[in-house]
Amino acid sequence: MNAAPAASAPPTVLRRMGPPLTALAAVALPAGYVAVVDPNAPGHYPDCPFLTATGWWCPGCGGLRCVHALAHGDLTGALHDNAVAVLLFGVLAVLWLRWAWAALTGGKPVRVSVGGRRWALICLLVLVFEVVRNLPVGAGLAPPVV
């Protein structure tokens, strides 16, 4: 008589938490480096090629300074360096927490779907941010010149 195959046991908490913790380490290690090596001091990081070529701040300009400011608890400085990056980091933190909670509790991971219209709106908002931060009225959104 053949025995029925044993049902596979559900993955352990440690196994379920592996991917979220790996993703956290992949973000925390470079962020830790930026926290220690100040991007406000010249010579530590390369210049932005878009800024060098055009003289305009790109949407990512000030991102390293933003990470450095956040790592030191300076939210105001981080918002001044790159407000869009602060918003993105907040969204990513919430998504990561939801993912980690689902992994911890054994729940179903949350799926995030961004349709074409939302992508278009996001791109438009980033473009507006880029233009405004390069105008005199938006000088407060531009990172300091080093």
Side-chain angles (χ1 to χ4, degrees):
M1 203 181 335
N2 291 338
S8 62
T12 64
V13 172
L14 187 58
R15 182 175 281 277
R16 290 191 314 258
M17 287 299 292
L21 291 176
T22 302
L24 180 63
V27 170
L29 290 173
Y33 177 82
V34 173
V36 173
V37 181
D38 189 357
N40 294 300
H44 292 292
Y45 300 96
D47 293 335
C48 171
F50 185 81
L51 177 63
T52 302
T54 66
W56 274 45
W57 301 107
C58 79
C61 280
L64 290 175
R65 293 182 183 123
C66 173
V67 171
H68 183 79
L70 285 174
H72 292 274
D74 182 11
L75 181 60
T76 304
L79 285 168
H80 179 269
D81 291 335
N82 195 320
V84 167
V86 173
L87 177 65
L88 175 65
F89 298 153
V91 168
L92 292 175
V94 168
L95 292 174
W96 183 86
L97 286 170
R98 291 175 67 181
W99 180 26
W101 181 254
L104 187 64
T105 60
K108 191 172 183 180
V110 179
R111 305 290 275 163
V112 177
S113 176
V114 181
R117 286 185 181 176
R118 286 187 180 155
W119 274 120
L121 179 61
I122 291 168
C123 289
L124 179 64
L125 290 173
V126 168
L127 180 63
V128 167
F129 171 72
E130 177 182 359
V131 171
V132 169
R133 77 189 312 209
N134 284 287
L135 297 174
V137 70
L141 296 173
V145 178
V146 175

